[in-house]
Amino acid sequence: MNYIEELATNAKACQTELANASSSQKNDALLEIAHILRKCKEKIIEQNAIDLENARNQGMSQSMQDRLALDEKRIDNIANACEKLTMLDDPVGQIESGSVRPNGMRITKVCVPMGIIGIIYEARPNVTVDAAALCLKSGNAVILRGGKEAINSNKILVDLMRQAVETSGFCPDIIQLVEDTDRQIAVEMMQANGYIDVLIPRGGANLIKAVVQSATVPVIETGTGNCHVYVDSTADLKMAVDIVDNGKTQRPSVCNAVESCLVHKNVADDFLPMLKKRLDEHNVEIRGCPLTKMILGDCVVPADEYDYATEFLDYIISIKVVDSLGEAIEHIRTYTTGHSECIVTESLFAAEEFQKRVDAAAVYVNCSTRFTDGEEFGLGAEIGISTQKLHARGPMGLKNLTTVKYLINGNGQIRS
C-alpha cells in the first residue's frame, strides 16, 4: 500500500460517518473552522511568510506571489466563506425527482456525496480551506495536494482544520494533506483507482494538462482561462475600458482575468489610446497585431499565435483589431479555453449572436469576466470553475460535489 492509498484508506474509514451526518453537525464543524482560523491568524501568517520568502528567493512572479500571500484580511475572508457555507442548503439527501411506476414501485432520485475527493492545486493556500469546507458540507472526505511553494501555509491550515473538525466530533481524517510534494506522489494520486472517487485539478494550463493526461481516476477539468473581451463597433467605449481594465488588472493571477482584447476596426482609433492610458497605470505590457501597433506605436510588442493562445496570469494582454463580429467570434473559437468570454456592445443583435455562438462556461454582455466565481453567482465558496461539459460546467458549488442514488421501494414486484 503506497502513501496515497494509506491516506485514502484512512479517509474511507470515516467518510461514511460524515456522509450521514446532519446539516447542523456539519455546520458546527464549519463554524469551528472559521473560529480557529481567526484565532490563529498570527501562526498562519508566520508560516505563510516562510513560503513567501522562499518564493521570492526562487524568482516567483509578483502576480503569483499575490496568489500565495495571506494576510489578516484574506484569512478573515476565508473564515467568512466557511460561515457563509453554513447558510446554504445542504445538498445531501435532496430529492431530485420521484415517480410511481405502473406496477406500484416508488422510485426516488436523491443526492448523495461522491465519497473521497482528491484536489491537486498550486500555490493558493485559500484553496486549501475552500476545498476542505465544501467537501465537508457536501459529505465528502478530501485529500489535498497543494504546490510545494505553499507547503508551510497548507500544513498549518490543515492542522487547524483537523483540530476544528475533531472538536466538533468528526474524525480528523476527513481532511488530509499530502505533505510529500514529490511529483511521483501526485502521479500516485492521479492513479489511485478504487481509493479516490474523483480528482479535481486547480491551477494553470500545465498542471491541468498533466492531470488530465496522466490520471486514470475520473477528473473534473477546471480552471484554465484564456478569457476575451470583444469591443463591438457600437460599444460604450468608457464602459469597455472599465471592463477590460477590471478584467486584466484587478487580480491578473486568477483564471477569470482577461488575457485578450478584440476591438472592432471602426472604434479602434478611439478606443485603443483610451485603453492604453488606463493599462499604463498598472504597467501592463501590450502584445498586439500590426493595426494595434500602428495606432499605439512602438510600445506594442508584436503578437504571435503563442500570445493569442496564452493564459498570461500577469500584467500582459494581447490585442487584435478585427473587421467584424464574425471575425471576433471565430478568433475566440480558435483560442478559447471555454472559461469566460465577454462582448461590450449596445446592439441587441450582436449581444444575442455572441451569447448564442460563443461556446464557454460563462458568456457575458457588458460586464466583467471577473464575476465568474461561485460566491458572485450565489453558490458560496467554489471548488473550481469547470471548463468541461460532463457532470458540471462553470463555478462548482456544493451541488456539483454530489452524485445521485436511486431509492426503489416496492411490495413484492418481480420482473416478468
mmCIF file of all heavy atoms in Angstrom, residues 26-69:
data_model
loop_
_atom_site.group_PDB
_atom_site.id
_atom_site.type_symbol
_atom_site.label_atom_id
_atom_site.label_comp_id
_atom_site.label_asym_id
_atom_site.label_seq_id
_atom_site.Cartn_x
_atom_site.Cartn_y
_atom_site.Cartn_z
ATOM 1 N N LYS A 26 -22.482 19.296 10.513
ATOM 2 C CA LYS A 26 -21.505 19.796 9.543
ATOM 3 C C LYS A 26 -21.342 21.307 9.669
ATOM 4 O O LYS A 26 -20.219 21.826 9.583
ATOM 5 C CB LYS A 26 -21.923 19.395 8.129
ATOM 6 C CG LYS A 26 -21.854 17.883 7.889
ATOM 7 C CD LYS A 26 -22.160 17.485 6.456
ATOM 8 C CE LYS A 26 -23.629 17.595 6.121
ATOM 9 N NZ LYS A 26 -23.935 17.030 4.781
ATOM 10 N N ASN A 27 -22.434 21.998 9.895
ATOM 11 C CA ASN A 27 -22.349 23.454 10.066
ATOM 12 C C ASN A 27 -21.557 23.830 11.314
ATOM 13 O O ASN A 27 -20.797 24.806 11.311
ATOM 14 C CB ASN A 27 -23.747 24.058 10.131
ATOM 15 C CG ASN A 27 -24.442 24.066 8.781
ATOM 16 O OD1 ASN A 27 -23.793 23.964 7.730
ATOM 17 N ND2 ASN A 27 -25.753 24.186 8.788
ATOM 18 N N ASP A 28 -21.741 23.070 12.387
ATOM 19 C CA ASP A 28 -20.970 23.328 13.605
ATOM 20 C C ASP A 28 -19.472 23.190 13.334
ATOM 21 O O ASP A 28 -18.655 23.981 13.831
ATOM 22 C CB ASP A 28 -21.381 22.361 14.725
ATOM 23 C CG ASP A 28 -22.741 22.689 15.314
ATOM 24 O OD1 ASP A 28 -23.246 23.806 15.064
ATOM 25 O OD2 ASP A 28 -23.301 21.818 16.023
ATOM 26 N N ALA A 29 -19.100 22.188 12.544
ATOM 27 C CA ALA A 29 -17.691 21.986 12.215
ATOM 28 C C ALA A 29 -17.156 23.143 11.371
ATOM 29 O O ALA A 29 -16.025 23.605 11.577
ATOM 30 C CB ALA A 29 -17.507 20.659 11.477
ATOM 31 N N LEU A 30 -17.960 23.640 10.443
ATOM 32 C CA LEU A 30 -17.542 24.782 9.612
ATOM 33 C C LEU A 30 -17.351 26.037 10.460
ATOM 34 O O LEU A 30 -16.392 26.800 10.260
ATOM 35 C CB LEU A 30 -18.578 25.037 8.516
ATOM 36 C CG LEU A 30 -18.632 23.994 7.400
ATOM 37 C CD1 LEU A 30 -19.871 24.203 6.537
ATOM 38 C CD2 LEU A 30 -17.375 24.062 6.535
ATOM 39 N N LEU A 31 -18.251 26.240 11.416
ATOM 40 C CA LEU A 31 -18.120 27.403 12.305
ATOM 41 C C LEU A 31 -16.873 27.274 13.185
ATOM 42 O O LEU A 31 -16.198 28.274 13.467
ATOM 43 C CB LEU A 31 -19.370 27.549 13.172
ATOM 44 C CG LEU A 31 -20.650 27.933 12.425
ATOM 45 C CD1 LEU A 31 -21.847 27.896 13.373
ATOM 46 C CD2 LEU A 31 -20.522 29.313 11.783
ATOM 47 N N GLU A 32 -16.572 26.069 13.592
ATOM 48 C CA GLU A 32 -15.373 25.833 14.404
ATOM 49 C C GLU A 32 -14.108 26.097 13.581
ATOM 50 O O GLU A 32 -13.120 26.647 14.085
ATOM 51 C CB GLU A 32 -15.375 24.409 14.945
ATOM 52 C CG GLU A 32 -14.268 24.115 15.952
ATOM 53 C CD GLU A 32 -14.359 24.969 17.208
ATOM 54 O OE1 GLU A 32 -15.476 25.300 17.650
ATOM 55 O OE2 GLU A 32 -13.284 25.301 17.767
ATOM 56 N N ILE A 33 -14.147 25.712 12.292
ATOM 57 C CA ILE A 33 -13.011 26.013 11.409
ATOM 58 C C ILE A 33 -12.818 27.526 11.294
ATOM 59 O O ILE A 33 -11.697 28.038 11.415
ATOM 60 C CB ILE A 33 -13.216 25.383 10.012
ATOM 61 C CG1 ILE A 33 -13.076 23.857 10.089
ATOM 62 C CG2 ILE A 33 -12.213 25.951 9.001
ATOM 63 C CD1 ILE A 33 -13.412 23.136 8.787
ATOM 64 N N ALA A 34 -13.916 28.246 11.056
ATOM 65 C CA ALA A 34 -13.827 29.711 10.946
ATOM 66 C C ALA A 34 -13.250 30.318 12.230
ATOM 67 O O ALA A 34 -12.394 31.215 12.181
ATOM 68 C CB ALA A 34 -15.205 30.294 10.656
ATOM 69 N N HIS A 35 -13.702 29.808 13.361
ATOM 70 C CA HIS A 35 -13.247 30.328 14.656
ATOM 71 C C HIS A 35 -11.752 30.110 14.845
ATOM 72 O O HIS A 35 -11.014 31.042 15.229
ATOM 73 C CB HIS A 35 -14.026 29.648 15.788
ATOM 74 C CG HIS A 35 -13.484 29.946 17.157
ATOM 75 N ND1 HIS A 35 -13.607 31.184 17.758
ATOM 76 C CD2 HIS A 35 -12.787 29.162 18.043
ATOM 77 C CE1 HIS A 35 -13.033 31.153 18.946
ATOM 78 N NE2 HIS A 35 -12.524 29.940 19.138
ATOM 79 N N ILE A 36 -11.274 28.897 14.554
ATOM 80 C CA ILE A 36 -9.860 28.598 14.822
ATOM 81 C C ILE A 36 -8.950 29.324 13.837
ATOM 82 O O ILE A 36 -7.829 29.715 14.183
ATOM 83 C CB ILE A 36 -9.610 27.066 14.808
ATOM 84 C CG1 ILE A 36 -8.315 26.744 15.547
ATOM 85 C CG2 ILE A 36 -9.589 26.507 13.389
ATOM 86 C CD1 ILE A 36 -8.126 25.255 15.818
ATOM 87 N N LEU A 37 -9.417 29.561 12.612
ATOM 88 C CA LEU A 37 -8.608 30.312 11.654
ATOM 89 C C LEU A 37 -8.411 31.749 12.136
ATOM 90 O O LEU A 37 -7.313 32.304 12.048
ATOM 91 C CB LEU A 37 -9.264 30.306 10.267
ATOM 92 C CG LEU A 37 -9.313 28.968 9.522
ATOM 93 C CD1 LEU A 37 -10.038 29.120 8.198
ATOM 94 C CD2 LEU A 37 -7.910 28.412 9.302
ATOM 95 N N ARG A 38 -9.481 32.356 12.622
ATOM 96 C CA ARG A 38 -9.366 33.732 13.132
ATOM 97 C C ARG A 38 -8.484 33.781 14.388
ATOM 98 O O ARG A 38 -7.679 34.694 14.575
ATOM 99 C CB ARG A 38 -10.750 34.289 13.440
ATOM 100 C CG ARG A 38 -11.589 34.574 12.199
ATOM 101 C CD ARG A 38 -12.724 35.535 12.523
ATOM 102 N NE ARG A 38 -13.530 35.811 11.338
ATOM 103 C CZ ARG A 38 -14.650 35.176 11.030
ATOM 104 N NH1 ARG A 38 -15.104 34.224 11.839
ATOM 105 N NH2 ARG A 38 -15.314 35.481 9.948
ATOM 106 N N LYS A 39 -8.664 32.794 15.233
ATOM 107 C CA LYS A 39 -7.920 32.746 16.491
ATOM 108 C C LYS A 39 -6.416 32.591 16.246
ATOM 109 O O LYS A 39 -5.598 33.126 17.018
ATOM 110 C CB LYS A 39 -8.443 31.574 17.333
ATOM 111 C CG LYS A 39 -7.753 31.389 18.666
ATOM 112 C CD LYS A 39 -8.329 30.181 19.392
ATOM 113 C CE LYS A 39 -7.580 29.880 20.676
ATOM 114 N NZ LYS A 39 -8.101 28.659 21.341
ATOM 115 N N CYS A 40 -6.061 31.907 15.195
ATOM 116 C CA CYS A 40 -4.649 31.568 14.947
ATOM 117 C C CYS A 40 -4.062 32.319 13.747
ATOM 118 O O CYS A 40 -3.157 31.820 13.075
ATOM 119 C CB CYS A 40 -4.511 30.058 14.739
ATOM 120 S SG CYS A 40 -5.027 29.082 16.168
ATOM 121 N N LYS A 41 -4.573 33.525 13.487
ATOM 122 C CA LYS A 41 -4.083 34.318 12.347
ATOM 123 C C LYS A 41 -2.575 34.489 12.362
ATOM 124 O O LYS A 41 -1.908 34.359 11.330
ATOM 125 C CB LYS A 41 -4.734 35.708 12.356
ATOM 126 C CG LYS A 41 -6.150 35.769 11.862
ATOM 127 C CD LYS A 41 -6.633 37.214 11.945
ATOM 128 C CE LYS A 41 -8.115 37.318 11.664
ATOM 129 N NZ LYS A 41 -8.597 38.703 11.842
ATOM 130 N N GLU A 42 -2.018 34.813 13.522
ATOM 131 C CA GLU A 42 -0.584 35.091 13.594
ATOM 132 C C GLU A 42 0.239 33.859 13.212
ATOM 133 O O GLU A 42 1.249 33.979 12.508
ATOM 134 C CB GLU A 42 -0.214 35.563 15.002
ATOM 135 C CG GLU A 42 -0.743 36.960 15.331
ATOM 136 C CD GLU A 42 -0.266 37.443 16.681
ATOM 137 O OE1 GLU A 42 0.571 36.757 17.311
ATOM 138 O OE2 GLU A 42 -0.733 38.513 17.121
ATOM 139 N N LYS A 43 -0.188 32.681 13.660
ATOM 140 C CA LYS A 43 0.530 31.447 13.308
ATOM 141 C C LYS A 43 0.473 31.197 11.801
ATOM 142 O O LYS A 43 1.453 30.783 11.189
ATOM 143 C CB LYS A 43 -0.078 30.252 14.047
ATOM 144 C CG LYS A 43 0.161 30.237 15.545
ATOM 145 C CD LYS A 43 -0.459 28.988 16.160
ATOM 146 C CE LYS A 43 -0.256 28.950 17.667
ATOM 147 N NZ LYS A 43 -0.897 27.746 18.270
ATOM 148 N N ILE A 44 -0.708 31.450 11.219
ATOM 149 C CA ILE A 44 -0.874 31.232 9.780
ATOM 150 C C ILE A 44 0.024 32.186 8.998
ATOM 151 O O ILE A 44 0.740 31.779 8.069
ATOM 152 C CB ILE A 44 -2.347 31.424 9.372
ATOM 153 C CG1 ILE A 44 -3.234 30.382 10.058
ATOM 154 C CG2 ILE A 44 -2.498 31.331 7.850
ATOM 155 C CD1 ILE A 44 -4.728 30.664 9.924
ATOM 156 N N ILE A 45 0.005 33.462 9.364
ATOM 157 C CA ILE A 45 0.802 34.473 8.657
ATOM 158 C C ILE A 45 2.296 34.186 8.821
ATOM 159 O O ILE A 45 3.082 34.368 7.890
ATOM 160 C CB ILE A 45 0.438 35.883 9.166
ATOM 161 C CG1 ILE A 45 -0.994 36.229 8.736
ATOM 162 C CG2 ILE A 45 1.412 36.927 8.634
ATOM 163 C CD1 ILE A 45 -1.551 37.489 9.372
ATOM 164 N N GLU A 46 2.684 33.687 9.976
ATOM 165 C CA GLU A 46 4.083 33.345 10.233
ATOM 166 C C GLU A 46 4.561 32.242 9.280
ATOM 167 O O GLU A 46 5.645 32.328 8.689
ATOM 168 C CB GLU A 46 4.211 32.887 11.687
ATOM 169 C CG GLU A 46 5.598 32.502 12.124
ATOM 170 C CD GLU A 46 5.612 32.032 13.572
ATOM 171 O OE1 GLU A 46 5.400 32.899 14.468
ATOM 172 O OE2 GLU A 46 5.776 30.825 13.812
ATOM 173 N N GLN A 47 3.747 31.196 9.110
ATOM 174 C CA GLN A 47 4.116 30.111 8.206
ATOM 175 C C GLN A 47 4.033 30.552 6.742
ATOM 176 O O GLN A 47 4.861 30.156 5.915
ATOM 177 C CB GLN A 47 3.207 28.901 8.443
ATOM 178 C CG GLN A 47 3.388 28.238 9.791
ATOM 179 C CD GLN A 47 4.816 27.770 10.017
ATOM 180 O OE1 GLN A 47 5.379 27.046 9.210
ATOM 181 N NE2 GLN A 47 5.404 28.197 11.134
ATOM 182 N N ASN A 48 3.059 31.391 6.423
ATOM 183 C CA ASN A 48 2.929 31.911 5.071
ATOM 184 C C ASN A 48 4.138 32.772 4.703
ATOM 185 O O ASN A 48 4.593 32.766 3.545
ATOM 186 C CB ASN A 48 1.643 32.714 4.949
ATOM 187 C CG ASN A 48 1.389 33.230 3.546
ATOM 188 O OD1 ASN A 48 1.379 34.434 3.307
ATOM 189 N ND2 ASN A 48 1.173 32.336 2.595
ATOM 190 N N ALA A 49 4.676 33.495 5.678
ATOM 191 C CA ALA A 49 5.850 34.340 5.430
ATOM 192 C C ALA A 49 7.055 33.503 5.008
ATOM 193 O O ALA A 49 7.864 33.940 4.175
ATOM 194 C CB ALA A 49 6.187 35.156 6.679
ATOM 195 N N ILE A 50 7.170 32.295 5.544
ATOM 196 C CA ILE A 50 8.255 31.388 5.138
ATOM 197 C C ILE A 50 8.098 31.018 3.669
ATOM 198 O O ILE A 50 9.063 31.049 2.893
ATOM 199 C CB ILE A 50 8.270 30.130 6.024
ATOM 200 C CG1 ILE A 50 8.540 30.499 7.481
ATOM 201 C CG2 ILE A 50 9.314 29.131 5.515
ATOM 202 C CD1 ILE A 50 8.382 29.337 8.449
ATOM 203 N N ASP A 51 6.864 30.699 3.279
ATOM 204 C CA ASP A 51 6.608 30.358 1.869
ATOM 205 C C ASP A 51 6.894 31.539 0.952
ATOM 206 O O ASP A 51 7.469 31.382 -0.129
ATOM 207 C CB ASP A 51 5.156 29.905 1.695
ATOM 208 C CG ASP A 51 4.886 28.548 2.323
ATOM 209 O OD1 ASP A 51 5.820 27.732 2.388
ATOM 210 O OD2 ASP A 51 3.739 28.315 2.743
ATOM 211 N N LEU A 52 6.488 32.730 1.376
ATOM 212 C CA LEU A 52 6.706 33.921 0.552
ATOM 213 C C LEU A 52 8.192 34.231 0.401
ATOM 214 O O LEU A 52 8.649 34.609 -0.690
ATOM 215 C CB LEU A 52 5.981 35.126 1.166
ATOM 216 C CG LEU A 52 4.470 35.179 0.959
ATOM 217 C CD1 LEU A 52 3.859 36.274 1.811
ATOM 218 C CD2 LEU A 52 4.141 35.415 -0.520
ATOM 219 N N GLU A 53 8.948 34.065 1.471
ATOM 220 C CA GLU A 53 10.394 34.303 1.392
ATOM 221 C C GLU A 53 11.038 33.307 0.422
ATOM 222 O O GLU A 53 11.876 33.683 -0.408
ATOM 223 C CB GLU A 53 11.013 34.166 2.782
ATOM 224 C CG GLU A 53 12.520 34.358 2.827
ATOM 225 C CD GLU A 53 12.946 35.759 2.435
ATOM 226 O OE1 GLU A 53 12.135 36.707 2.536
ATOM 227 O OE2 GLU A 53 14.114 35.920 2.010
ATOM 228 N N ASN A 54 10.642 32.043 0.516
ATOM 229 C CA ASN A 54 11.164 31.040 -0.414
ATOM 230 C C ASN A 54 10.783 31.373 -1.855
ATOM 231 O O ASN A 54 11.585 31.208 -2.783
ATOM 232 C CB ASN A 54 10.638 29.649 -0.048
ATOM 233 C CG ASN A 54 11.208 29.140 1.265
ATOM 234 O OD1 ASN A 54 12.291 29.566 1.688
ATOM 235 N ND2 ASN A 54 10.500 28.237 1.919
ATOM 236 N N ALA A 55 9.544 31.846 -2.037
ATOM 237 C CA ALA A 55 9.065 32.194 -3.382
ATOM 238 C C ALA A 55 9.882 33.336 -3.970
ATOM 239 O O ALA A 55 10.255 33.309 -5.156
ATOM 240 C CB ALA A 55 7.585 32.573 -3.319
ATOM 241 N N ARG A 56 10.156 34.345 -3.163
ATOM 242 C CA ARG A 56 10.967 35.474 -3.643
ATOM 243 C C ARG A 56 12.377 35.016 -4.021
ATOM 244 O O ARG A 56 12.915 35.415 -5.054
ATOM 245 C CB ARG A 56 11.031 36.570 -2.576
ATOM 246 C CG ARG A 56 9.763 37.419 -2.493
ATOM 247 C CD ARG A 56 9.956 38.623 -1.596
ATOM 248 N NE ARG A 56 9.998 38.242 -0.187
ATOM 249 C CZ ARG A 56 8.936 38.186 0.609
ATOM 250 N NH1 ARG A 56 7.733 38.476 0.138
ATOM 251 N NH2 ARG A 56 9.051 37.840 1.876
ATOM 252 N N ASN A 57 12.941 34.148 -3.192
ATOM 253 C CA ASN A 57 14.297 33.652 -3.466
ATOM 254 C C ASN A 57 14.354 32.817 -4.741
ATOM 255 O O ASN A 57 15.400 32.746 -5.391
ATOM 256 C CB ASN A 57 14.806 32.826 -2.283
ATOM 257 C CG ASN A 57 15.055 33.681 -1.048
ATOM 258 O OD1 ASN A 57 15.235 34.893 -1.150
ATOM 259 N ND2 ASN A 57 15.038 33.053 0.126
ATOM 260 N N GLN A 58 13.239 32.193 -5.078
ATOM 261 C CA GLN A 58 13.185 31.353 -6.278
ATOM 262 C C GLN A 58 12.695 32.116 -7.505
ATOM 263 O O GLN A 58 12.500 31.533 -8.569
ATOM 264 C CB GLN A 58 12.287 30.139 -6.013
ATOM 265 C CG GLN A 58 12.879 29.178 -4.983
ATOM 266 C CD GLN A 58 11.861 28.201 -4.420
ATOM 267 O OE1 GLN A 58 10.772 28.047 -4.962
ATOM 268 N NE2 GLN A 58 12.220 27.546 -3.327
ATOM 269 N N GLY A 59 12.477 33.435 -7.351
ATOM 270 C CA GLY A 59 12.122 34.263 -8.502
ATOM 271 C C GLY A 59 10.677 34.167 -8.943
ATOM 272 O O GLY A 59 10.363 34.445 -10.103
ATOM 273 N N MET A 60 9.771 33.795 -8.044
ATOM 274 C CA MET A 60 8.353 33.737 -8.400
ATOM 275 C C MET A 60 7.849 35.125 -8.780
ATOM 276 O O MET A 60 8.211 36.120 -8.158
ATOM 277 C CB MET A 60 7.533 33.182 -7.222
ATOM 278 C CG MET A 60 6.033 33.079 -7.508
ATOM 279 S SD MET A 60 5.065 32.549 -6.049
ATOM 280 C CE MET A 60 5.413 30.794 -6.033
ATOM 281 N N SER A 61 7.011 35.206 -9.811
ATOM 282 C CA SER A 61 6.486 36.488 -10.271
ATOM 283 C C SER A 61 5.628 37.144 -9.193
ATOM 284 O O SER A 61 5.087 36.472 -8.302
ATOM 285 C CB SER A 61 5.657 36.312 -11.541
ATOM 286 O OG SER A 61 4.439 35.638 -11.247
ATOM 287 N N GLN A 62 5.489 38.483 -9.295
ATOM 288 C CA GLN A 62 4.703 39.219 -8.314
ATOM 289 C C GLN A 62 3.248 38.753 -8.300
ATOM 290 O O GLN A 62 2.636 38.636 -7.237
ATOM 291 C CB GLN A 62 4.751 40.715 -8.625
ATOM 292 C CG GLN A 62 6.041 41.392 -8.181
ATOM 293 C CD GLN A 62 6.225 41.348 -6.680
ATOM 294 O OE1 GLN A 62 7.248 40.850 -6.188
ATOM 295 N NE2 GLN A 62 5.269 41.846 -5.935
ATOM 296 N N SER A 63 2.694 38.498 -9.488
ATOM 297 C CA SER A 63 1.288 38.083 -9.542
ATOM 298 C C SER A 63 1.087 36.730 -8.873
ATOM 299 O O SER A 63 0.078 36.496 -8.218
ATOM 300 C CB SER A 63 0.795 38.045 -10.992
ATOM 301 O OG SER A 63 1.523 37.114 -11.754
ATOM 302 N N MET A 64 2.068 35.823 -9.016
ATOM 303 C CA MET A 64 1.945 34.522 -8.368
ATOM 304 C C MET A 64 2.191 34.639 -6.859
ATOM 305 O O MET A 64 1.574 33.917 -6.067
ATOM 306 C CB MET A 64 2.931 33.529 -8.993
ATOM 307 C CG MET A 64 2.630 33.206 -10.452
ATOM 308 S SD MET A 64 0.941 32.607 -10.724
ATOM 309 C CE MET A 64 1.020 30.989 -9.960
ATOM 310 N N GLN A 65 3.074 35.555 -6.461
ATOM 311 C CA GLN A 65 3.244 35.797 -5.024
ATOM 312 C C GLN A 65 1.950 36.314 -4.404
ATOM 313 O O GLN A 65 1.633 36.001 -3.255
ATOM 314 C CB GLN A 65 4.376 36.796 -4.792
ATOM 315 C CG GLN A 65 5.768 36.239 -5.028
ATOM 316 C CD GLN A 65 6.854 37.251 -4.722
ATOM 317 O OE1 GLN A 65 6.832 37.905 -3.676
ATOM 318 N NE2 GLN A 65 7.809 37.398 -5.628
ATOM 319 N N ASP A 66 1.216 37.100 -5.193
ATOM 320 C CA ASP A 66 -0.073 37.606 -4.701
ATOM 321 C C ASP A 66 -1.036 36.458 -4.428
ATOM 322 O O ASP A 66 -1.786 36.488 -3.445
ATOM 323 C CB ASP A 66 -0.676 38.567 -5.728
ATOM 324 C CG ASP A 66 -2.055 39.047 -5.309
ATOM 325 O OD1 ASP A 66 -2.155 39.746 -4.286
ATOM 326 O OD2 ASP A 66 -3.046 38.710 -5.999
ATOM 327 N N ARG A 67 -1.016 35.434 -5.270
ATOM 328 C CA ARG A 67 -1.888 34.271 -5.057
ATOM 329 C C ARG A 67 -1.487 33.520 -3.797
ATOM 330 O O ARG A 67 -2.322 32.929 -3.108
ATOM 331 C CB ARG A 67 -1.823 33.316 -6.255
ATOM 332 C CG ARG A 67 -2.338 33.882 -7.543
ATOM 333 C CD ARG A 67 -2.200 32.905 -8.697
ATOM 334 N NE ARG A 67 -3.351 32.028 -8.798
ATOM 335 C CZ ARG A 67 -3.678 31.350 -9.888
ATOM 336 N NH1 ARG A 67 -2.961 31.457 -10.969
ATOM 337 N NH2 ARG A 67 -4.718 30.572 -9.901
ATOM 338 N N LEU A 68 -0.197 33.525 -3.514
ATOM 339 C CA LEU A 68 0.334 32.777 -2.378
ATOM 340 C C LEU A 68 0.123 33.490 -1.045
ATOM 341 O O LEU A 68 -0.041 32.853 -0.007
ATOM 342 C CB LEU A 68 1.835 32.537 -2.615
ATOM 343 C CG LEU A 68 2.663 31.879 -1.504
ATOM 344 C CD1 LEU A 68 2.116 30.489 -1.180
ATOM 345 C CD2 LEU A 68 4.120 31.799 -1.929
ATOM 346 N N ALA A 69 0.075 34.815 -1.086
ATOM 347 C CA ALA A 69 0.116 35.601 0.151
ATOM 348 C C ALA A 69 -1.169 35.519 0.971
ATOM 349 O O ALA A 69 -2.274 35.528 0.429
ATOM 350 C CB ALA A 69 0.416 37.060 -0.182
#
